Amino acid sequence: MGTRRSVALELAAIGAAALLFVATFRVRPAYVDFALAGVAVALIAASAARSRRLWDAAAPLPRDSADREAWVASGAFTAAALLVLVGLAVWTSARVGPSLAARVSNWHIVAAIAVYFPLALLQQYIFQRYLLGRLLQLRPPAGAVAITAIAFSSVHFPRWPVMALVAIACCVWSTIYYRSRNLLPLAASHALLGSVLHFWVFGDDLLQSWLL
């Protein structure tokens, strides 16, 4: 069986299973996401050698400076995104409680970022390392990045505002990973922005919701 055909069948099976799960479990506790991410990575890790071969065939090897460039690009994007989120936080806090001061001063965000980082790393591994590498066998980079972003945002269904923001962020993260193959700066950006979105924009205590 050719590589393109085997990849297409593999992704079709995964996509069907994911759609079935999303349609069945629209609302689920956070620990379910943690457990599912762990199971998914355990299964995907079994195909790590195949993933490496697919990436080597689909994209140029990173330059020696790729790691530094990945951190710089991820940091620049994160800083710009934070400015947008701060603006959204000011807007939402003026309309619904809690106040902006209460949101920003909640120290739980520090712990949430630390807890969020492993989950973010798992998600980046699944979507960037696994999914994007296979999509590059079927589509040019721009199309593969776009499909990865749609798939990543669907994980947050049915939270439509989050899905829209995640789709934009994933396009940037996928582009950075395509050039560097470095997941760490992406996971750091994901954990920070995800926590700020929940604590400052939505006024939700993400850590408390995880512990309930």
Side-chain angles (χ1 to χ4, degrees), residues 1-123:
M1 183 183 297
T3 299
R4 288 173 57 88
R5 185 182 177 187
S6 66
V7 166
L9 291 174
E10 180 182 357
L11 294 182
I14 293 173
L19 287 175
L20 178 62
F21 174 80
V22 170
T24 306
F25 299 98
R26 296 184 61 179
V27 179
R28 55 194 180 273
Y31 67 83
V32 173
D33 286 336
F34 277 95
L36 288 174
V39 171
V41 169
L43 294 174
I44 292 171
S47 64
R50 174 173 164 82
S51 295
R52 183 170 57 253
R53 290 194 301 270
L54 291 174
W55 267 104
D56 289 343
L61 291 174
R63 297 180 297 180
D64 292 339
S65 59
D67 283 346
R68 178 179 59 82
E69 292 171 358
W71 281 103
V72 171
S74 183
F77 166 70
T78 302
L82 281 174
L83 291 177
V84 173
L85 292 181
V86 168
L88 290 174
V90 172
W91 185 77
T92 57
S93 64
R95 286 158 177 75
V96 294
S99 68
L100 180 62
R103 299 180 185 198
V104 174
S105 62
N106 188 345
W107 65 268
H108 284 182
I109 190 172
V110 177
I113 292 172
V115 174
Y116 204 147
F117 180 81
L119 177 60
L121 187 60
L122 291 177
Q123 291 181 339

Side-chain angles (χ1 to χ4, degrees), residues 178-200:
Y178 177 78
R179 296 172 179 173
S180 68
R181 304 192 200 177
N182 187 344
L183 291 174
L184 291 178
L186 311 184
S189 174
H190 185 176
L192 178 59
L193 294 177
S195 297
V196 168
L197 176 67
H198 282 276
F199 277 86
W200 294 5

Side-chain angles (χ1 to χ4, degrees), residues 118-166:
L119 177 60
L121 187 60
L122 291 177
Q123 291 181 339
Q124 296 293 339
Y125 183 92
I126 293 169
F127 288 96
Q128 266 67 52
R129 181 65 180 175
Y130 181 84
L131 179 60
L132 180 59
R134 281 157 176 76
L135 288 173
L136 287 169
Q137 300 293 321
L138 308 174
R139 292 290 184 270
V145 166
I147 296 172
T148 301
I150 293 171
F152 206 160
S153 68
S154 69
V155 173
H156 301 82
F157 179 84
R159 294 170 289 176
W160 298 106
V162 178
M163 290 175 66
L165 294 173
V166 167

